[in-house]
Amino acid sequence: MPGTLFLIPVPLAENAAHKSFTPFLSATVNGLKTYIVENEKTARKFLKEAGLLRPQSELVLHDYGKHRRGQALAPYFKELMAGEDVGLMSEAGCPGVADPGAELVAEAHRRGIQVVPLVGPNSMIQALMASGMSGQSFTFHGYLPIDKTDRARRIKELEQLSSRYRQTQLFMEAPFRNNALLDDVLKNGQAQTLLCIACNINGEEEWIKTKRIADWRKEKIDLHKKPVLFLLYRA
C-alpha cells in the first residue's frame, strides 16, 4: 500500500508560529522524515518552529521550487509508492491553494495515494472571515491584469459578478504593485461598492478593514511591499 501525503500548512508571517501550528500538526511532523518543499532553508525553519524533535540530519527534503517545476513528478513519489508517509509544504499558508503544490496533490490522486490536509492558516479564508462580506459565495481570481486598460475592465467585471451573484470577489497583486492596484480599484470601482483590504494577515502589523470605495478615496494608505488581499462586494 502507498503512504499518505500530508499537506502541512506553514505561517503566513514572521513570528506567527504560535498562531499557526496545532498539536496535531506537531505530532504529524514528528512522524515524518520525508518532505516535498519549495525552499529547503525555510522548510527546515518551519519544521523547527512546529516542534520537530527528529534530528534534521535524518530528514529527506525533495526540492519542488520554481526551477524544478515542469519536470517529471515520479521522483517525488518514490517514498510514497514504497509505503512511506510524506509531508508537502508551501512557502506560506496551505499547500495546494493558489499554490503550485496542487500539481503534486493531483498526481497523488492519480496514483491512488491518500491525501490528508491539516488545519492551518489560509490568507483567503481568514480575510473572508474578517471582511463581513458574503461567505456563502465567493471566488478567488489570483492576479488581475497588469495592463491598466485590461485591469480597469476586469475590476468592473468583478463588480458586476458580485452584484449578479451576491458573490465576494477576492484578488491580489505582487506586493510592490499593491499601491498601483489600489489606485485602479478606487478609480474604476463604484462609490457604494465595498472594498476590504486585508494586510499582513497573522503578522505583527496585521489590519483588516472594510469600507465603501467612496470612503477609501478619502484615505491615504501605503501598501507597498506588504502582503495584501483585496475583496470586493457589491450587493
Side-chain angles (χ1 to χ4, degrees):
M1 294 291 291
T4 298
L5 180 63
F6 288 92
L7 310 185
I8 313 291
V10 299
L12 296 171
E14 288 292 326
N15 303 317
H18 64 291
K19 303 178 182 179
S20 308
F21 297 123
T22 67
F24 180 72
L25 186 149
S26 296
T28 300
V29 300
N30 277 301
L32 303 174
K33 71 173 185 179
T34 302
Y35 293 87
I36 305 169
V37 304
E38 282 192 79
N39 182 291
E40 181 175 339
K41 181 179 178 180
T42 53
R44 290 184 182 278
K45 174 188 174 185
F46 296 147
L47 289 170
K48 180 179 179 181
E49 291 176 342
L52 180 70
L53 301 176
R54 182 192 301 272
Q56 294 216 12
S57 59
E58 296 180 4
L59 299 180
V60 176
L61 272 63
H62 295 294
D63 183 353
Y64 191 63
K66 61 182 179 180
H67 299 298
R68 300 294 182 92
R69 291 169 206 152
Q71 300 179 16
L73 297 179
Y76 299 104
F77 290 87
K78 177 182 177 182
E79 290 85 359
L80 282 162
M81 298 308 294
E84 182 180 332
D85 295 340
V86 173
L88 172 62
M89 300 172 65
S90 300
E91 274 295 274
C94 295
V97 181
D99 173 76
E103 182 179 15
L104 291 164
V105 176
E107 180 66 16
H109 285 295
R110 285 191 287 267
R111 291 172 176 263
I113 294 169
Q114 182 181 7
V115 177
V116 175
L118 273 63
V119 173
N122 179 279
S123 58
M124 289 176 286
I125 297 301
Q126 290 178 268
L128 184 64
M129 290 166 61
S131 70
M133 299 178 179
S134 174
Q136 297 293 327
S137 179
F138 55 92
T139 301
F140 177 64
H141 298 275
Y143 296 93
L144 300 192
I146 295 178
D147 179 81
K148 293 183 74 67
T149 300
D150 293 339
R151 185 154 63 189
R153 184 183 304 114
R154 187 61 173 151
I155 290 167
K156 293 173 182 177
E157 288 175 353
L158 296 186
E159 280 190 310
Q160 293 170 1
L161 288 171
S162 181
S163 178
R164 184 181 308 155
Y165 299 112
R166 294 187 178 274
Q167 184 181 73
T168 304
Q169 310 294 315
L170 298 88
F171 51 94
M172 63 187 294
E173 182 53 282
F176 67 92
R177 290 199 294 257
N178 278 334
N179 287 337
L181 175 57
L182 177 60
D183 288 343
D184 285 341
V185 172
L186 299 185
K187 178 180 178 181
N188 294 284
Q190 307 228 357
Q192 298 304 311
T193 295
L194 291 174
L195 170 64
C196 176
I197 299 175
C199 182
N200 282 317
I201 294 176
N202 290 170
E204 295 175 348
E205 298 180 354
E206 175 186 80
W207 60 269
I208 302 172
K209 296 181 181 179
T210 298
K211 299 181 182 183
R212 300 179 308 155
I213 283 180
D215 296 322
W216 280 116
R217 288 170 178 162
K218 301 173 186 177
E219 291 200 23
K220 180 63 177 177
I221 59 173
D222 184 11
L223 303 176
H224 187 57
K225 291 189 176 180
K226 299 176 182 179
V228 175
L229 273 172
F230 299 89
L231 300 86
L232 278 182
Y233 186 75
R234 182 169 178 79

